[in-house]
Amino acid sequence: MNSAVPRRSRLRLRRLAPAQVIASGFGFTILIGTVLLMLPASSAEGVWTGFIDALFTSTSAVCVTGLIVVDTAVYWSPFGKVVILALIQIGGLGIMLFAALIGLALARRLSVRSRIITGAETKAQGVGDLRGLAVGILVTTLTIEAAVAAVLFVRFLTGYGYDVGRAAWHAVFHAVSSFNNAGFALYTDSLMGFVSDPWVCLPISAAIILGGLGFPVLRQLRRELRVPLHWTMNTRIVLAGTAVLLAGGTVYTALVEWENPGTLGPLDPASRVLASFFHSVQARTAGFNSVDVAQMHDETWLGTDVLMLIGGGPAGTAGGIKVTTFAVLFFIMWAELRGSGTVNVFGKRLSRAVHREAITVVLVAIGAVMAAVIAILAMTDLDLDRVLFEVVSAFGTVGMSTGITAVLPDAAQVILILLMFLGRLGPLTLGTALAFRERPVAYELPKERPAIG
């Protein structure tokens, strides 16, 4: 009898779709993190933390968002900060990594169908590539985090007079937080104290960009950096889209905020350019800030909303609808305007199934954002600009804030928690996780075309 129970559990686990495993794993990790953060040992004053505050912080860490309802630098004890760091790392690596390892350990090998589905969910290249993907993710993550931590350690030690222990802790924490696009900082004002320091801002920016490219892109670049003709459509779209959005975000921020006395105005020209670039990088779902976001112009908030909603590359640590989704919609529009019967991207034809996926992701994202904005506006007296910024930041798992998250009522914070969860898993992945089984259609209806426009 006792041996039958584990066997039934294993059978049920094998029948779960990979997306269901991801959703369950994220939920379970958030729950564990919530319990740990509620403990008196996690707060600096040794008191119990309220459930909503702990749940919000745990969700923000696991979903690598960075929105906070309490001051990370002041409220949490060293133990609490270690818990947050661990949650960030787990969330960045992705529950899929651990689900894949558990599946391999339990089943020894996955069925062909499971390998195909899991490979699709993780954007793996090749049906039998799951084990290599897991090892590659670990090695890539730890290597980049270690390199960034080493640079930050030297800078904190020599440039700011930190002792060895403090320099090492701050370097590791911010390296992990930046590569995983989390945005948690050990300073009350995030990274505003380093606004003019390229030795802090640029390594952190590099880690954020690399994490936001996605593991498939990093993997191909490592193998075929000098052979761009071999790059996949995904790699080309992510690299081109990232470059365009980073440059566009930098120029836009600099133009709008250049004379703003609350942000770039007091800085020298070189620091203004650095701060503009840093803000553009953060909008790619990282969430640090080197200038006061609350003092930015409304136009900058709106431009940042667009960047946050787009996000980074797929199968990485960034959130948002993803650069590839945005690019697919652009190329569909371009093909339609040209009257082309097919959508061609970088010399290859785009699959029609991708059209439907991109449209679904965008419509779900817009629907979730709009519903959340309307609900929070009904609960509070806050302005639309600030509420929209906060909601998009949560859905895009960015973490930048105009300063209203902590003062929102509990119900509004729960809405942001749900948005962070949805934004991290992705609308399609979450939808698949909620579907108990596939429902194949045994017939097709006759076609008819409605008028458009």
Side-chain angles (χ1 to χ4, degrees), residues 200-240:
V200 173
C201 292
L202 292 183
I204 287 178
S205 296
I208 292 166
I209 293 171
L210 291 174
L213 291 178
F215 293 111
V217 174
L218 292 177
R219 190 180 192 188
Q220 182 161 55
L221 291 179
R222 188 176 70 248
R223 292 179 174 182
E224 301 175 313
L225 178 62
R226 299 182 180 181
V227 195
L229 292 177
H230 293 176
W231 292 355
T232 63
M233 181 189 295
N234 180 75
T235 297
R236 293 167 183 259
I237 289 177
V238 171
L239 291 178

Side-chain angles (χ1 to χ4, degrees), residues 125-349:
Q125 297 173 352
V127 175
D129 204 30
L130 187 57
R131 191 188 301 271
L133 176 72
V135 175
I137 289 174
L138 282 172
V139 172
T140 300
T141 298
L142 296 178
T143 299
I144 295 176
E145 289 176 351
V148 174
V151 176
L152 293 178
F153 171 76
V154 173
R155 183 56 178 166
F156 288 146
L157 190 66
T158 61
Y160 294 93
Y162 290 9
D163 59 58
V164 173
R166 187 186 181 197
W169 167 240
H170 280 240
V172 170
F173 188 96
H174 292 97
V176 172
S177 184
S178 58
F179 177 74
N180 289 292
N181 280 219
F184 279 89
L186 294 177
Y187 307 96
T188 300
D189 60 355
S190 190
L191 299 179
M192 291 175 61
F194 306 99
V195 61
S196 300
D197 190 344
W199 291 102
V200 173
C201 292
L202 292 183
I204 287 178
S205 296
I208 292 166
I209 293 171
L210 291 174
L213 291 178
F215 293 111
V217 174
L218 292 177
R219 190 180 192 188
Q220 182 161 55
L221 291 179
R222 188 176 70 248
R223 292 179 174 182
E224 301 175 313
L225 178 62
R226 299 182 180 181
V227 195
L229 292 177
H230 293 176
W231 292 355
T232 63
M233 181 189 295
N234 180 75
T235 297
R236 293 167 183 259
I237 289 177
V238 171
L239 291 178
T242 297
V244 169
L245 292 173
L246 285 176
T250 300
V251 172
Y252 181 83
T253 302
L255 289 176
V256 178
E257 296 292 326
W258 193 264
E259 300 294 339
N260 187 345
T263 56
L264 301 183
L267 305 175
D268 61 83
S271 296
R272 294 183 192 185
V273 174
L274 177 62
S276 298
F277 172 73
F278 192 76
H279 179 77
S280 180
V281 173
Q282 306 316 307
R284 307 302 312 291
T285 81
F288 295 110
N289 61 279
S290 61
V291 295
D292 191 352
V293 175
Q295 298 298 319
M296 287 182 166
H297 294 308
D298 294 350
E299 308 92 286
T300 309
W301 285 347
L302 185 58
T304 305
D305 288 340
V306 175
L307 294 175
M308 292 192 297
L309 186 62
I310 295 173
T317 57
I321 63 173
K322 303 297 188 291
V323 174
T324 46
T325 303
F326 179 78
V328 164
L329 291 182
F330 172 80
F331 286 117
I332 290 174
M333 178 193 70
W334 183 247
E336 192 65 27
L337 292 175
R338 296 177 59 194
S340 176
T342 59
V343 180
N344 300 319
V345 181
F346 295 123
K348 294 184 180 180
R349 181 169 55 87

Side-chain angles (χ1 to χ4, degrees), residues 293-296 298 301 305 382-392 401-404:
V293 175
Q295 298 298 319
M296 287 182 166
D298 294 350
W301 285 347
D305 288 340
L382 296 169
D383 296 335
L384 172 61
D385 293 334
R386 291 180 182 271
V387 172
L388 178 62
F389 190 96
E390 223 74 10
V391 166
V392 175
S401 173
T402 60
I404 67 172

Side-chain angles (χ1 to χ4, degrees), residues 371-430:
V373 168
I374 293 171
I376 295 177
L377 285 175
M379 297 176 187
T380 65
D381 297 326
L382 296 169
D383 296 335
L384 172 61
D385 293 334
R386 291 180 182 271
V387 172
L388 178 62
F389 190 96
E390 223 74 10
V391 166
V392 175
S393 181
F395 178 82
T397 68
V398 181
M400 280 196 289
S401 173
T402 60
I404 67 172
T405 299
V407 300
L408 290 175
D410 288 350
Q413 291 180 0
V414 169
I415 290 175
L416 295 184
I417 289 172
L418 295 175
L419 281 175
M420 289 188 287
F421 191 79
L422 174 62
R424 178 54 183 156
L425 292 182
L428 280 181
T429 303
L430 185 60

